[in-house]
């Protein structure tokens, strides 16, 4: 998904509005993943759980944007 999103074709295919939303959410999901692993590795399970909740919320938002994109194109 990341490779496609980084391609010129992705931006041309989905347009700037959707691209910006999708790109930001995709980045947030990756950041959350890194933060979850770091928190878990340091034994901070409370932070890991909070970041997991943020990751799930971002995943749901990304799914909604992708569904919206499918419905408009």
């Amino acid at each position: 998904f990341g490779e496609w999103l980084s391609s010129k074709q992705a931006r041309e295919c989905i347009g700037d509005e959707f691209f910006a939303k999708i790109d930001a959410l995709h980045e947030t999901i990756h950041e959350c993943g890194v933060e979850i692993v770091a928190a878990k590795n340091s034994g901070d399970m409370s932070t890991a759980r909070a970041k997991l909740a943020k990751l799930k919320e971002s995943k749901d938002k990304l799914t909604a944007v992708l569904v919206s994109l499918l419905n408009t194109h």
Side-chain angles (χ1 to χ4, degrees):
F1 183 80
E3 286 183 34
W4 172 79
L5 190 58
S6 297
S7 72
K8 181 180 176 183
Q9 293 86 356
R11 184 170 286 228
E12 291 172 354
C13 176
I14 64 178
D16 290 337
E17 178 187 354
F18 280 108
F19 180 85
K21 290 177 185 178
I22 292 168
D23 190 44
L25 289 165
H26 180 245
E27 183 64 30
T28 298
I29 290 167
H30 278 279
E31 289 171 1
C32 286
V34 169
E35 292 168 353
I36 291 165
V37 170
K40 183 183 179 298
N41 288 343
S42 69
D44 186 356
M45 294 308 293
S46 176
T47 297
R49 283 187 204 92
K51 296 296 180 176
L52 180 59
K54 183 177 178 182
L55 184 145
K56 289 178 179 179
E57 177 184 328
S58 297
K59 183 259 313 169
D60 291 343
K61 287 180 181 178
L62 177 59
T63 300
V65 171
L66 292 172
V67 168
S68 179
L69 174 65
L70 287 172
N71 290 332
T72 61
H73 282 76

